[in-house]
Amino acid sequence: MKIAILSCFYPYRGGISQFNACLYGELGKTCEVRAFNFKRQYPAFLFPGKTQYVTADDEAMPVESTFLLDTANPFSYVTTMKAIRDWNPDLLIVRYWMSYFAPSLGYITRHLRGRCKVISILDNVIPHEPRFFDTPLTKYFLKGSDGCVTLCEAVSRDLLKIKPDARYTVIPHPLYSHFGAKKPRREAEKVLGLKGGKKNILFFGLIREYKGLDILIDAFSGLDDSYQLIIAGEPYGSFEKYADAIALSPLKDNIHTYLRYIKDSEVTDFFSAADVTVLPYRSATQSGISSVSYHFEIPMIVTETGGLKETIGDRKTGLVAKDCTPEAVREEIIRYFADPGIAEDCIGHIRKEKERLSWGNFCRKLLEFASEL
């Protein structure tokens, strides 16, 4: 089978690109796969981070790809569509995670549908920070897909609200397994300059409003000196309100910030030092951070929003706060550390999940779904 994947690949960085590289590699074991990449993913003024691209010292997975699609240039939509059409794939896979991409990706899929099967992998249908134009743009995009793959039931519910007759399947987010083995805890703490002998809480990933870092800082500030908070990730937007909250915290000396894009080679240090990962999200579908936590066998504390309860609480790989408030998050942190048996039980369930959430299983189910369309 010939499979075209249209999305972001190396040298773009971040979770979407990492996912695509893993997908490309796994499908390439049994199929002829070609990656069609963005020439420009976002105009610079729309991108909230420091850079969209890997830097010289990043260890991202290179993927050979064809750079064609400029989301801000409609002429490139035609060029990209024709290039994929001329390659004549049996299946086109497209990633969709925000409505900004609907005009470009929707044009291409709507013109290729009928020439090949088109499957959209939907990270989100309704964005975490929704705007009035999201629904009509997403409806436009979905008309180009024969079928959709969602990564959790929460996204499926959003999909059916917009397209009740959608053909879809749920395949959980596979594990990121390219970060290597876990290090000895104290070795990782020394690398990061952390105090030893503390209960280490990790907040990891891009810092955005919906991810609730302020909730976690407030929750942490009500704990005692035996705890340590590690904040690792690049802020998308101003960090000022979080900095102010840290400055006012009675435990500010126990809060350590690493405000930058975390390279693949550094990820191991942060998770090797952590006792628990906390995802205090205000809204969520699935989370790529949970896949990294699974790889390093680190339990999680999450809020009961979106797909987090389904993918973590229901799988017993972590604890779920009953409310998205500092008090509720703090209560679960205290409960987690008060009973060592909780961590042991969560780790046991994580090991079962690691067997289930392989890239091989993901791609097998994806191809089975494609054959049914």
Side-chain angles (χ1 to χ4, degrees):
M1 177 182 285
K2 293 178 68 175
I3 302 176
I5 305 176
L6 174 59
S7 193
C8 56
F9 291 90
Y10 182 94
Y12 294 100
R13 71 185 190 184
I16 300 290
S17 184
Q18 288 174 337
F19 184 112
N20 292 335
C22 294
L23 179 67
Y24 175 91
E26 187 63 35
L27 287 173
K29 294 177 181 179
T30 56
C31 302
E32 183 180 356
V33 184
R34 185 167 176 181
F36 292 86
N37 205 343
F38 292 104
K39 183 185 296 183
R40 178 169 57 170
Q41 185 176 210
Y42 305 97
F45 73 91
L46 290 178
F47 185 72
K50 293 181 179 179
T51 178
Q52 303 174 51
Y53 306 101
V54 299
T55 57
D57 57 351
D58 283 339
E59 295 81 16
M61 291 181 282
V63 171
E64 184 179 347
S65 64
T66 303
F67 298 85
L68 289 171
L69 182 58
D70 180 344
T71 57
N73 180 359
F75 292 107
S76 76
Y77 306 176
V78 179
T79 303
T80 305
M81 180 273 293
K82 288 181 177 178
I84 297 173
R85 181 195 64 192
D86 292 346
W87 192 62
N88 195 29
D90 301 298
L91 172 64
L92 170 63
I93 299 172
V94 180
R95 296 291 302 281
Y96 185 80
W97 64 96
M98 62 183 298
S99 61
Y100 171 78
F101 294 100
S104 58
L105 297 180
Y107 175 89
I108 294 165
T109 56
R110 287 160 70 115
H111 281 78
L112 289 175
R113 187 181 181 192
R115 292 179 175 271
C116 65
K117 293 180 180 179
V118 179
I119 289 180
S120 299
I121 299 177
L122 306 176
D123 294 83
N124 302 303
V125 173
I126 305 298
H128 299 297
E129 298 158 342
R131 292 146 299 189
F132 72 92
F133 50 77
D134 290 321
T135 295
L137 284 175
T138 299
K139 285 182 177 179
Y140 170 82
F141 167 77
L142 290 172
K143 287 181 179 179
S145 298
D146 293 298
C148 301
V149 171
T150 68
L151 305 178
C152 68
E153 292 289 352
V155 176
S156 298
R157 290 191 290 270
D158 289 341
L159 170 64
L160 294 176
K161 289 176 185 176
I162 291 179
K163 188 174 174 59
D165 61 344
R167 298 186 68 179
Y168 74 96
T169 188
V170 181
I171 313 177
H173 195 305
L175 301 188
Y176 290 127
S177 56
H178 60 283
F179 296 113
K182 196 172 180 180
K183 291 183 177 180
R185 176 193 178 100
R186 190 56 196 138
E187 178 184 331
E189 288 177 328
K190 287 180 179 178
V191 170
L192 298 175
L194 299 172
K195 304 171 185 176
K198 300 288 187 182
K199 302 166 186 171
N200 290 340
I201 299 165
L202 175 64
F203 177 96
F204 190 88
L206 298 176
I207 298 170
R208 302 180 66 175
E209 174 66 23
Y210 77 85
K211 292 193 175 184
L213 176 57
D214 53 320
I215 294 171
L216 178 55
I217 293 171
D218 287 349
F220 181 80
S221 296
L223 299 172
D224 60 46
D225 185 59
S226 66
Y227 293 85
Q228 188 164 227
L229 175 59
I230 306 161
I231 300 169
E234 181 180 1
Y236 270 23
S238 173
F239 191 75
E240 185 177 357
K241 76 170 185 176
Y242 307 111
D244 290 344
I246 292 170
L248 293 172
S249 172
L251 291 176
K252 62 183 177 182
D253 291 339
N254 289 13
I255 301 176
H256 304 267
T257 59
Y258 307 82
L259 305 180
R260 63 179 188 276
Y261 179 83
I262 307 301
K263 298 181 295 183
D264 283 4
S265 63
E266 296 179 299
V267 171
T268 303
D269 292 320
F270 288 99
F271 283 86
S272 296
D275 290 298
V276 66
T277 307
V278 179
L279 287 67
Y281 295 2
R282 290 184 168 88
S283 67
T285 46
Q286 63 288 318
S287 171
I289 305 305
S290 66
S291 295
V292 185
S293 283
Y294 280 163
H295 171 67
F296 290 105
E297 299 184 355
I298 305 298
M300 287 156 279
I301 296 172
V302 303
T303 47
E304 190 173 5
T305 184
L308 294 181
K309 180 180 184 297
E310 165 201 336
T311 56
I312 295 165
D314 292 352
R315 308 303 300 190
K316 299 181 180 180
T317 57
L319 302 180
V320 181
K322 59 186 177 183
D323 296 303
C324 190
T325 62
E327 294 75 20
V329 172
R330 184 186 306 123
E331 181 180 335
E332 295 308 311
I333 292 172
I334 293 171
R335 184 160 78 92
Y336 176 83
F337 285 102
D339 181 359
I342 291 177
E344 293 175 8
D345 187 54
C346 289
I347 291 169
H349 284 94
I350 286 172
R351 288 173 179 161
K352 293 178 182 177
E353 287 296 278
K354 290 175 75 171
E355 297 175 7
R356 185 176 72 95
L357 299 177
S358 69
W359 284 99
N361 280 340
F362 183 92
C363 290
R364 177 179 54 79
K365 291 178 180 178
L366 187 151
L367 293 178
E368 288 175 355
F369 177 62
S371 69
E372 297 168 359
L373 295 174

